[in-house]
Amino acid sequence: MRTKILMTAALLATTLGAGPALAQDRWDWRPGDYRLVGAGVPNLYPELRGSVRGRAFVMRNFDFNRDGRVQPREASAANRAFAQEAGPRRDRFDWDRRGQVVVVEERRTWDRGAMQNYGFRQTQRGATLTLAEEVLFATASATLRPGAIDRLRPLAEYLRDNPGVRVTIDGHTDARGSDAYNQDLSERRAASVREAFDAMGVTRARFQVVGHGEAQPVASNATTAGQRQNRRVEVTLLGRRASEFARR
């Protein structure tokens, strides 16, 4: 699998007219200013963003068009290659002993504690979690905040580890603004969340994305607190039980 990933990255780079690093040099690094900029940076694993070796790994091998910027598809390729090499405990990856997982405590790669922290509730369709607007978006925007990717990452890891689970993403707004505006905003926000999962390696075909505008409030729109509750994105794991993610 690792060889396949590296060959795919090399082929893509060649197609774009850039000469990729040799496979044997992929994990080497040279001192330099490996700054990470671009739309794909928030999608990168913290282990890649937070170390010089990680940043060098990304920029030397996955800047396919050599523009000095990390695009979402480049970040996704870097994440896949790193995860394949590091195994389930990326936080304990030893750059000098690559190819060896230092500690493997369990076979699954998703974080049960992080999934419990989402606070899933049981609905007719499955296990549903609610993400408040302020966690994901600025007011009136469908662009994800920088920290939103880290909030979604544990769920993406669960979905990658459970490829049979299908998902619905429902966008909701408060009642301020016109019906048409709120419908459009809810649809764009739900789509932005799906795109984030896509960038983290979860196949977009697994998602159904729906915008409801202001049509399904959970609180009164007559108060600021109620409006805040109504501005939300709900993610449902279809057919799953919320009890699977409850604390024991």
Side-chain angles (χ1 to χ4, degrees), residues 59-228:
M59 295 308 298
R60 292 192 65 227
N61 301 291
F62 296 94
D63 181 15
F64 296 133
N65 60 359
R66 297 295 186 263
D67 66 350
R69 304 181 67 83
V70 181
Q71 303 302 325
R73 62 185 177 81
E74 295 170 339
S76 181
N79 283 345
R80 288 195 299 271
F82 178 65
Q84 183 65 31
E85 185 75 15
R89 292 307 304 269
R90 298 189 311 270
D91 58 324
R92 301 194 183 187
F93 180 67
D94 186 338
W95 289 95
D96 294 317
R97 296 173 61 202
R98 61 186 184 278
Q100 302 180 41
V101 178
V102 179
V103 176
V104 179
E105 296 179 350
E106 52 189 355
R107 295 184 63 184
R108 68 167 181 264
T109 61
W110 57 278
D111 186 334
R112 179 173 295 278
M115 289 292 287
Q116 291 170 341
N117 290 338
Y118 281 126
F120 284 92
R121 69 183 190 282
Q122 191 63 47
T123 62
Q124 290 184 344
R125 294 185 297 172
T128 299
L129 68 93
T130 299
L131 298 166
E133 175 199 53
E134 57 265 27
V135 173
L136 299 178
F137 306 102
T139 302
S141 172
T143 301
L144 288 171
R145 293 181 182 274
I149 295 297
D150 287 335
R151 176 66 171 155
L152 297 171
R153 197 182 305 282
L155 183 53
E157 292 175 348
Y158 169 82
L159 292 172
R160 287 199 302 268
D161 206 37
N162 294 272
V165 176
R166 293 190 171 272
V167 186
T168 62
I169 303 175
D170 296 91
H172 303 269
T173 70
D174 61 28
R176 295 179 299 172
S178 69
D179 291 350
Y181 173 83
N182 288 332
Q183 180 64 35
D184 177 68
L185 179 61
S186 68
E187 292 174 0
R188 288 189 292 116
R189 285 181 166 180
S192 289
V193 173
R194 180 184 60 184
E195 289 167 5
F197 284 123
D198 183 46
M200 289 186 282
V202 185
T203 305
R204 60 190 295 121
R206 297 170 61 181
F207 295 91
Q208 179 184 11
V209 178
V210 183
H212 301 277
E214 62 189 71
Q216 296 184 7
V218 294
S220 171
N221 277 300
T223 67
T224 300
Q227 292 170 356
R228 185 180 304 112

Side-chain angles (χ1 to χ4, degrees), residues 38-69:
V41 173
N43 299 349
L44 288 168
Y45 286 133
E47 294 80 10
L48 295 179
R49 298 196 312 262
S51 70
V52 173
R53 295 286 291 273
R55 294 191 292 270
F57 172 68
V58 172
M59 295 308 298
R60 292 192 65 227
N61 301 291
F62 296 94
D63 181 15
F64 296 133
N65 60 359
R66 297 295 186 263
D67 66 350
R69 304 181 67 83

